[in-house]
Each structure stands twice: as structure tokens, then as C-alpha cells.
Amino acid sequence: KAGVTQTPRYLIKTRGQQVTLSCSPISGHRSVSWYQQTPGQGLQFLFEYFSETQRNKGNFPGRFSGRQFSNSRSEMNVSTLELGDSALYLCASSLHGSGEQYFGPGTRLTVT
Amino acid sequence: DAKTTQPNSMESNEEEPVHLPCNHSTISGTDYIHWYRQLPSQGPEYVIHGLTSNVNNRMASLAIAEDRKSSTLILHRATLRDAAVYYCILRQANQAGTALIFGKGTTLSVSS
């Protein structure tokens, strides 16, 4: 079974721009979660989508948003990028929304 | 959320057993104990989880104290590939959604 895939793997953007990241979960998995990882803050939960509905949201500003499609693929969007948004963005999928999650390789976003 | 405490770092030699401790003195009766690890330049990887009884899988064993205030992840024979950051995470059994709260984890170094 193919694992979680994320595209693109690397991205460089300029302050003020917006960015969209994509995540394809493991086939059959209905829950997709997003995390941000930085050296200073570590791994932080952004939000979770289950059956196209946002079920949980972490403590991030409204510039961070996401959505999930009927095929369970998910996208996250960051608007008005700031330097502090430079991070590794990780996507994880799970079958029923349990604690056993499968992570993708991440998208490395650099904001200049 | 109940918190976990782990040593910042540990060292091991190849082919020796490794015992990674985790303290969670404020754990509630419905909290599952999850372990994830993150290899360099990769997303986190699920290792094992348990509630009360010790658990074994192909990757590791999880030993849970009788009072559940601590647990130990056991790698029976460390390999160089086991060098990673290991995270001990508590997650409520009835928690809606998949949000995992990651701490700093333990950085395991393995020498040949």
C-alpha cells in the first residue's frame, strides 16, 4: 500500500505571498492531520479533517487554513506568509481518526 | 492534557538493548500511551501504543508501570537505523480527532 505523499517536497516563497500544500493519505484513510515542525517550537498540531469536515484545530492564526476533498486528499493554505512560517509541514493520515497515524515526508517551506 | 517527561538524550551501542523512559504522573485512566519516533529528515513514525498491559510488536516493546505513572519503550537490539528522536505521547481514549501533542522527545544516539 502506498504511504502518505506530500507535494511539493520543497518550496521557497517570499513574505506576503500565499502557498498551498497538498497531501494524499493512505488509501482508505479518512482522517488527515497537519503539523508544523520548527527547531524552536518542535512539532505542533495545526488541524485535522475527517470526512471533509474540520474536526480539530490547533492554536494557529487564521492565515492557516485547510480543506479535504471527497477522495480524502487534503490541502493546507497559508496566506500572507511571514518569515516565521518557514518550517517543515507534515501531513498524517489515519484510518478512523485514531492515535495510530502515518506521516508523510513533509514539505519544507522557506519564506524569504 | 496530561504531560510527559523524557530525558533529552540517551546513548546506546549497536546490538545492545535500549530502555527509553517516560514519566507521566498525571495520566488519567483513559489515556493511551503512544510512542512515535522521527528519523533524520523523515516524518514521525508510529512505534507502539498501550493502555495498561505491556505490549509487543515487531519494532519494540512497551512496558507500563502498574500505577501507569511511567512507561518504558524497549528496543531489544539497537541498530544504527534506530538513531532517532523518540516521543512519548498521551492521548485520551475518547478523544475525538487525532491531535497528537508532541513534547521535546529523547534523542537516541547509537554507536557501532
Side-chain angles (χ1 to χ4, degrees), chain A residues 47-108:
Chain A
F47 31 64
E48 180 213 356
Y49 286 86
F50 185 84
S51 295
E52 301 179 64
T53 301
Q54 186 180 88
R55 184 157 66 170
N56 276 312
K57 190 176 192 303
N59 189 25
F60 278 82
R63 299 185 297 108
F64 292 81
S65 63
R67 59 178 175 169
Q68 187 180 31
F69 302 95
S70 58
N71 62 357
S72 293
R73 190 177 70 84
S74 177
E75 289 181 346
M76 69 163 280
N77 183 277
V78 188
S79 63
T80 321
L81 283 165
E82 301 176 0
L83 295 179
D85 297 332
S86 294
L88 179 67
Y89 290 89
L90 292 154
C91 164
S93 76
S94 68
L95 186 58
H96 299 299
S98 69
E100 187 173 339
Q101 298 180 45
Y102 296 86
F103 284 78
T107 294
R108 173 74 62 185

Side-chain angles (χ1 to χ4, degrees), chain B residues 12-54:
Chain B
S12 175
N13 293 317
E14 213 175 359
E15 299 190 8
E16 288 184 355
V18 181
H19 290 231
L20 295 161
C22 180
N23 286 319
H24 28 78
S25 58
T26 59
I27 191 171
S28 75
T30 56
D31 282 340
Y32 277 84
I33 303 159
H34 285 77
W35 282 83
Y36 279 77
R37 71 179 185 181
Q38 187 171 21
L39 280 65
S41 302
Q42 294 189 27
E45 176 185 31
Y46 166 81
V47 177
I48 199 167
H49 77 279
L51 184 62
T52 56
S53 304
N54 294 343

Side-chain angles (χ1 to χ4, degrees), chain A residues 26-48:
Chain A
I26 291 172
S27 177
H29 284 194
R30 296 167 61 192
S31 168
V32 173
S33 296
W34 289 89
Y35 294 81
Q36 181 197 64
Q37 186 171 29
T38 60
Q41 298 298 317
L43 272 155
Q44 293 184 284
F45 172 75
L46 277 158
F47 31 64
E48 180 213 356

Side-chain angles (χ1 to χ4, degrees), chain A residues 10 14-15 20 22-23 42 52 64 73 98:
Chain A
Y10 303 91
T14 305
R15 263 182 310 177
T20 299
S22 180
C23 171
E52 301 179 64
F64 292 81
R73 190 177 70 84
S98 69

Side-chain angles (χ1 to χ4, degrees), chain B:
Chain B
D1 291 318
K3 296 186 71 173
T4 63
T5 303
Q6 300 177 252
N8 289 334
S9 62
M10 291 185 65
E11 297 181 352
S12 175
N13 293 317
E14 213 175 359
E15 299 190 8
E16 288 184 355
V18 181
H19 290 231
L20 295 161
C22 180
N23 286 319
H24 28 78
S25 58
T26 59
I27 191 171
S28 75
T30 56
D31 282 340
Y32 277 84
I33 303 159
H34 285 77
W35 282 83
Y36 279 77
R37 71 179 185 181
Q38 187 171 21
L39 280 65
S41 302
Q42 294 189 27
E45 176 185 31
Y46 166 81
V47 177
I48 199 167
H49 77 279
L51 184 62
T52 56
S53 304
N54 294 343
V55 185
N56 301 295
N57 66 20
R58 63 175 181 81
M59 289 181 68
S61 295
L62 176 60
I64 302 172
E66 199 167 328
D67 63 6
R68 301 209 327 124
K69 292 180 186 275
S70 66
S71 60
T72 302
L73 179 71
I74 303 166
L75 307 179
H76 296 285
R77 289 184 66 197
T79 68
L80 295 178
R81 197 192 169 278
D82 291 322
V85 179
Y86 287 78
Y87 298 97
C88 171
I89 301 166
L90 300 183
R91 184 177 177 277
Q92 291 183 353
N94 59 355
Q95 174 182 327
T98 57
L100 294 174
I101 309 302
F102 287 84
K104 301 290 186 188
T106 297
T107 299
L108 175 66
S109 303
V110 181
S111 303
S112 58

